[in-house]
mmCIF file with all atom_site columns, all heavy atoms in Angstrom:
data_model
loop_
_atom_site.group_PDB
_atom_site.id
_atom_site.type_symbol
_atom_site.label_atom_id
_atom_site.label_alt_id
_atom_site.label_comp_id
_atom_site.label_asym_id
_atom_site.label_entity_id
_atom_site.label_seq_id
_atom_site.pdbx_PDB_ins_code
_atom_site.Cartn_x
_atom_site.Cartn_y
_atom_site.Cartn_z
_atom_site.occupancy
_atom_site.B_iso_or_equiv
_atom_site.pdbx_formal_charge
_atom_site.auth_seq_id
_atom_site.auth_comp_id
_atom_site.auth_asym_id
_atom_site.auth_atom_id
_atom_site.pdbx_PDB_model_num
ATOM 1   N N   . PRO A 1 258 ? 113.987 111.400 105.610 1.00 95.00 ? 1469 PRO A N   1
ATOM 2   C CA  . PRO A 1 258 ? 113.201 112.217 104.671 1.00 95.00 ? 1469 PRO A CA  1
ATOM 3   C C   . PRO A 1 258 ? 113.494 111.929 103.207 1.00 95.00 ? 1469 PRO A C   1
ATOM 4   O O   . PRO A 1 258 ? 112.739 112.371 102.328 1.00 95.00 ? 1469 PRO A O   1
ATOM 5   C CB  . PRO A 1 258 ? 113.605 113.647 105.051 1.00 95.00 ? 1469 PRO A CB  1
ATOM 6   C CG  . PRO A 1 258 ? 114.936 113.515 105.723 1.00 95.00 ? 1469 PRO A CG  1
ATOM 7   C CD  . PRO A 1 258 ? 114.887 112.205 106.442 1.00 95.00 ? 1469 PRO A CD  1
ATOM 8   N N   . GLU A 1 259 ? 114.570 111.200 102.932 1.00 97.00 ? 1470 GLU A N   1
ATOM 9   C CA  . GLU A 1 259 ? 114.880 110.850 101.537 1.00 97.00 ? 1470 GLU A CA  1
ATOM 10  C C   . GLU A 1 259 ? 113.978 109.728 101.016 1.00 97.00 ? 1470 GLU A C   1
ATOM 11  O O   . GLU A 1 259 ? 114.045 109.375 99.828  1.00 97.00 ? 1470 GLU A O   1
ATOM 12  C CB  . GLU A 1 259 ? 116.353 110.442 101.403 1.00 97.00 ? 1470 GLU A CB  1
ATOM 13  C CG  . GLU A 1 259 ? 116.729 109.101 102.013 1.00 97.00 ? 1470 GLU A CG  1
ATOM 14  C CD  . GLU A 1 259 ? 117.033 109.133 103.504 1.00 97.00 ? 1470 GLU A CD  1
ATOM 15  O OE1 . GLU A 1 259 ? 116.597 110.092 104.173 1.00 97.00 ? 1470 GLU A OE1 1
ATOM 16  O OE2 . GLU A 1 259 ? 117.725 108.209 103.983 1.00 97.00 ? 1470 GLU A OE2 1
ATOM 17  N N   . PHE A 1 260 ? 113.149 109.165 101.887 1.00 98.00 ? 1471 PHE A N   1
ATOM 18  C CA  . PHE A 1 260 ? 112.233 108.104 101.491 1.00 98.00 ? 1471 PHE A CA  1
ATOM 19  C C   . PHE A 1 260 ? 110.798 108.624 101.444 1.00 98.00 ? 1471 PHE A C   1
ATOM 20  O O   . PHE A 1 260 ? 110.411 109.507 102.217 1.00 98.00 ? 1471 PHE A O   1
ATOM 21  C CB  . PHE A 1 260 ? 112.300 106.931 102.477 1.00 98.00 ? 1471 PHE A CB  1
ATOM 22  C CG  . PHE A 1 260 ? 113.472 106.014 102.263 1.00 98.00 ? 1471 PHE A CG  1
ATOM 23  C CD1 . PHE A 1 260 ? 114.708 106.309 102.809 1.00 98.00 ? 1471 PHE A CD1 1
ATOM 24  C CD2 . PHE A 1 260 ? 113.337 104.856 101.517 1.00 98.00 ? 1471 PHE A CD2 1
ATOM 25  C CE1 . PHE A 1 260 ? 115.801 105.471 102.628 1.00 98.00 ? 1471 PHE A CE1 1
ATOM 26  C CE2 . PHE A 1 260 ? 114.420 104.002 101.318 1.00 98.00 ? 1471 PHE A CE2 1
ATOM 27  C CZ  . PHE A 1 260 ? 115.653 104.315 101.870 1.00 98.00 ? 1471 PHE A CZ  1
ATOM 28  N N   . SER A 1 261 ? 110.023 108.044 100.550 1.00 96.00 ? 1472 SER A N   1
ATOM 29  C CA  . SER A 1 261 ? 108.587 108.324 100.489 1.00 96.00 ? 1472 SER A CA  1
ATOM 30  C C   . SER A 1 261 ? 107.838 107.015 100.306 1.00 96.00 ? 1472 SER A C   1
ATOM 31  O O   . SER A 1 261 ? 108.409 106.015 99.866  1.00 96.00 ? 1472 SER A O   1
ATOM 32  C CB  . SER A 1 261 ? 108.270 109.286 99.333  1.00 96.00 ? 1472 SER A CB  1
ATOM 33  O OG  . SER A 1 261 ? 108.671 108.717 98.093  1.00 96.00 ? 1472 SER A OG  1
ATOM 34  N N   . ILE A 1 262 ? 106.565 107.037 100.672 1.00 96.00 ? 1473 ILE A N   1
ATOM 35  C CA  . ILE A 1 262 ? 105.719 105.845 100.541 1.00 96.00 ? 1473 ILE A CA  1
ATOM 36  C C   . ILE A 1 262 ? 105.128 105.816 99.140  1.00 96.00 ? 1473 ILE A C   1
ATOM 37  O O   . ILE A 1 262 ? 104.543 106.802 98.684  1.00 96.00 ? 1473 ILE A O   1
ATOM 38  C CB  . ILE A 1 262 ? 104.614 105.846 101.597 1.00 96.00 ? 1473 ILE A CB  1
ATOM 39  C CG1 . ILE A 1 262 ? 105.222 105.832 103.000 1.00 96.00 ? 1473 ILE A CG1 1
ATOM 40  C CG2 . ILE A 1 262 ? 103.696 104.631 101.416 1.00 96.00 ? 1473 ILE A CG2 1
ATOM 41  C CD1 . ILE A 1 262 ? 104.214 106.021 104.120 1.00 96.00 ? 1473 ILE A CD1 1
ATOM 42  N N   . GLU A 1 263 ? 105.293 104.707 98.485  1.00 95.00 ? 1474 GLU A N   1
ATOM 43  C CA  . GLU A 1 263 ? 104.860 104.592 97.090  1.00 95.00 ? 1474 GLU A CA  1
ATOM 44  C C   . GLU A 1 263 ? 103.539 103.840 97.001  1.00 95.00 ? 1474 GLU A C   1
ATOM 45  O O   . GLU A 1 263 ? 103.340 102.816 97.665  1.00 95.00 ? 1474 GLU A O   1
ATOM 46  C CB  . GLU A 1 263 ? 105.935 103.869 96.284  1.00 95.00 ? 1474 GLU A CB  1
ATOM 47  C CG  . GLU A 1 263 ? 105.661 103.805 94.806  1.00 95.00 ? 1474 GLU A CG  1
ATOM 48  C CD  . GLU A 1 263 ? 106.852 103.252 94.039  1.00 95.00 ? 1474 GLU A CD  1
ATOM 49  O OE1 . GLU A 1 263 ? 107.755 104.025 93.675  1.00 95.00 ? 1474 GLU A OE1 1
ATOM 50  O OE2 . GLU A 1 263 ? 106.888 102.026 93.827  1.00 95.00 ? 1474 GLU A OE2 1
ATOM 51  N N   . LYS A 1 264 ? 102.659 104.333 96.169  1.00 90.00 ? 1475 LYS A N   1
ATOM 52  C CA  . LYS A 1 264 ? 101.413 103.627 95.898  1.00 90.00 ? 1475 LYS A CA  1
ATOM 53  C C   . LYS A 1 264 ? 101.651 102.628 94.785  1.00 90.00 ? 1475 LYS A C   1
ATOM 54  O O   . LYS A 1 264 ? 102.223 102.965 93.742  1.00 90.00 ? 1475 LYS A O   1
ATOM 55  C CB  . LYS A 1 264 ? 100.315 104.601 95.490  1.00 90.00 ? 1475 LYS A CB  1
ATOM 56  C CG  . LYS A 1 264 ? 98.965  103.947 95.246  1.00 90.00 ? 1475 LYS A CG  1
ATOM 57  C CD  . LYS A 1 264 ? 97.907  104.975 94.898  1.00 90.00 ? 1475 LYS A CD  1
ATOM 58  C CE  . LYS A 1 264 ? 96.550  104.311 94.690  1.00 90.00 ? 1475 LYS A CE  1
ATOM 59  N NZ  . LYS A 1 264 ? 95.497  105.311 94.341  1.00 90.00 ? 1475 LYS A NZ  1
ATOM 60  N N   . THR A 1 265 ? 101.250 101.404 95.004  1.00 84.00 ? 1476 THR A N   1
ATOM 61  C CA  . THR A 1 265 ? 101.446 100.369 93.992  1.00 84.00 ? 1476 THR A CA  1
ATOM 62  C C   . THR A 1 265 ? 100.122 99.675  93.694  1.00 84.00 ? 1476 THR A C   1
ATOM 63  O O   . THR A 1 265 ? 99.256  99.563  94.574  1.00 84.00 ? 1476 THR A O   1
ATOM 64  C CB  . THR A 1 265 ? 102.459 99.313  94.468  1.00 84.00 ? 1476 THR A CB  1
ATOM 65  O OG1 . THR A 1 265 ? 101.979 98.728  95.680  1.00 84.00 ? 1476 THR A OG1 1
ATOM 66  C CG2 . THR A 1 265 ? 103.817 99.941  94.712  1.00 84.00 ? 1476 THR A CG2 1
ATOM 67  N N   . PRO A 1 266 ? 99.939  99.217  92.453  1.00 78.00 ? 1477 PRO A N   1
ATOM 68  C CA  . PRO A 1 266 ? 98.730  98.445  92.131  1.00 78.00 ? 1477 PRO A CA  1
ATOM 69  C C   . PRO A 1 266 ? 98.690  97.185  92.979  1.00 78.00 ? 1477 PRO A C   1
ATOM 70  O O   . PRO A 1 266 ? 99.708  96.546  93.225  1.00 78.00 ? 1477 PRO A O   1
ATOM 71  C CB  . PRO A 1 266 ? 98.913  98.110  90.646  1.00 78.00 ? 1477 PRO A CB  1
ATOM 72  C CG  . PRO A 1 266 ? 99.944  99.070  90.154  1.00 78.00 ? 1477 PRO A CG  1
ATOM 73  C CD  . PRO A 1 266 ? 100.837 99.354  91.316  1.00 78.00 ? 1477 PRO A CD  1
ATOM 74  N N   . CYS A 1 267 ? 97.525  96.853  93.465  1.00 80.00 ? 1478 CYS A N   1
ATOM 75  C CA  . CYS A 1 267 ? 97.420  95.650  94.296  1.00 80.00 ? 1478 CYS A CA  1
ATOM 76  C C   . CYS A 1 267 ? 96.064  95.001  94.097  1.00 80.00 ? 1478 CYS A C   1
ATOM 77  O O   . CYS A 1 267 ? 95.168  95.557  93.463  1.00 80.00 ? 1478 CYS A O   1
ATOM 78  C CB  . CYS A 1 267 ? 97.639  95.994  95.773  1.00 80.00 ? 1478 CYS A CB  1
ATOM 79  S SG  . CYS A 1 267 ? 96.464  97.199  96.422  1.00 80.00 ? 1478 CYS A SG  1
ATOM 80  N N   . ASP A 1 268 ? 95.907  93.837  94.642  1.00 87.00 ? 1479 ASP A N   1
ATOM 81  C CA  . ASP A 1 268 ? 94.671  93.083  94.534  1.00 87.00 ? 1479 ASP A CA  1
ATOM 82  C C   . ASP A 1 268 ? 93.534  93.829  95.230  1.00 87.00 ? 1479 ASP A C   1
ATOM 83  O O   . ASP A 1 268 ? 93.736  94.432  96.279  1.00 87.00 ? 1479 ASP A O   1
ATOM 84  C CB  . ASP A 1 268 ? 94.878  91.703  95.173  1.00 87.00 ? 1479 ASP A CB  1
ATOM 85  C CG  . ASP A 1 268 ? 93.748  90.757  94.847  1.00 87.00 ? 1479 ASP A CG  1
ATOM 86  O OD1 . ASP A 1 268 ? 92.738  90.789  95.571  1.00 87.00 ? 1479 ASP A OD1 1
ATOM 87  O OD2 . ASP A 1 268 ? 93.869  89.990  93.883  1.00 87.00 ? 1479 ASP A OD2 1
ATOM 88  N N   . PRO A 1 269 ? 92.328  93.804  94.666  1.00 86.00 ? 1480 PRO A N   1
ATOM 89  C CA  . PRO A 1 269 ? 91.195  94.496  95.304  1.00 86.00 ? 1480 PRO A CA  1
ATOM 90  C C   . PRO A 1 269 ? 90.912  94.008  96.722  1.00 86.00 ? 1480 PRO A C   1
ATOM 91  O O   . PRO A 1 269 ? 90.324  94.748  97.522  1.00 86.00 ? 1480 PRO A O   1
ATOM 92  C CB  . PRO A 1 269 ? 90.021  94.166  94.360  1.00 86.00 ? 1480 PRO A CB  1
ATOM 93  C CG  . PRO A 1 269 ? 90.655  93.891  93.035  1.00 86.00 ? 1480 PRO A CG  1
ATOM 94  C CD  . PRO A 1 269 ? 91.956  93.231  93.354  1.00 86.00 ? 1480 PRO A CD  1
ATOM 95  N N   . ALA A 1 270 ? 91.322  92.779  97.053  1.00 87.00 ? 1481 ALA A N   1
ATOM 96  C CA  . ALA A 1 270 ? 91.074  92.257  98.397  1.00 87.00 ? 1481 ALA A CA  1
ATOM 97  C C   . ALA A 1 270 ? 91.978  92.885  99.443  1.00 87.00 ? 1481 ALA A C   1
ATOM 98  O O   . ALA A 1 270 ? 91.702  92.817  100.634 1.00 87.00 ? 1481 ALA A O   1
ATOM 99  C CB  . ALA A 1 270 ? 91.250  90.735  98.412  1.00 87.00 ? 1481 ALA A CB  1
ATOM 100 N N   . PHE A 1 271 ? 93.088  93.511  99.004  1.00 91.00 ? 1482 PHE A N   1
ATOM 101 C CA  . PHE A 1 271 ? 93.988  94.163  99.946  1.00 91.00 ? 1482 PHE A CA  1
ATOM 102 C C   . PHE A 1 271 ? 93.354  95.469  100.412 1.00 91.00 ? 1482 PHE A C   1
ATOM 103 O O   . PHE A 1 271 ? 92.724  96.171  99.633  1.00 91.00 ? 1482 PHE A O   1
ATOM 104 C CB  . PHE A 1 271 ? 95.338  94.466  99.306  1.00 91.00 ? 1482 PHE A CB  1
ATOM 105 C CG  . PHE A 1 271 ? 96.104  93.257  98.844  1.00 91.00 ? 1482 PHE A CG  1
ATOM 106 C CD1 . PHE A 1 271 ? 97.321  93.397  98.210  1.00 91.00 ? 1482 PHE A CD1 1
ATOM 107 C CD2 . PHE A 1 271 ? 95.620  91.970  99.039  1.00 91.00 ? 1482 PHE A CD2 1
ATOM 108 C CE1 . PHE A 1 271 ? 98.046  92.304  97.771  1.00 91.00 ? 1482 PHE A CE1 1
ATOM 109 C CE2 . PHE A 1 271 ? 96.333  90.863  98.610  1.00 91.00 ? 1482 PHE A CE2 1
ATOM 110 C CZ  . PHE A 1 271 ? 97.543  91.030  97.968  1.00 91.00 ? 1482 PHE A CZ  1
ATOM 111 N N   . GLU A 1 272 ? 93.556  95.797  101.660 1.00 89.00 ? 1483 GLU A N   1
ATOM 112 C CA  . GLU A 1 272 ? 92.964  97.014  102.215 1.00 89.00 ? 1483 GLU A CA  1
ATOM 113 C C   . GLU A 1 272 ? 94.051  98.033  102.507 1.00 89.00 ? 1483 GLU A C   1
ATOM 114 O O   . GLU A 1 272 ? 95.086  97.703  103.084 1.00 89.00 ? 1483 GLU A O   1
ATOM 115 C CB  . GLU A 1 272 ? 92.195  96.691  103.501 1.00 89.00 ? 1483 GLU A CB  1
ATOM 116 C CG  . GLU A 1 272 ? 91.555  97.914  104.138 1.00 89.00 ? 1483 GLU A CG  1
ATOM 117 C CD  . GLU A 1 272 ? 90.617  97.536  105.267 1.00 89.00 ? 1483 GLU A CD  1
ATOM 118 O OE1 . GLU A 1 272 ? 89.842  96.579  105.086 1.00 89.00 ? 1483 GLU A OE1 1
ATOM 119 O OE2 . GLU A 1 272 ? 90.663  98.187  106.312 1.00 89.00 ? 1483 GLU A OE2 1
#
Side-chain angles (χ1 to χ4, degrees):
E1470 71 276 20
F1471 280 84
S1472 60
I1473 299 172
E1474 185 172 274
K1475 182 178 181 180
T1476 59
C1478 59
D1479 192 275
F1482 298 178
E1483 180 170 316

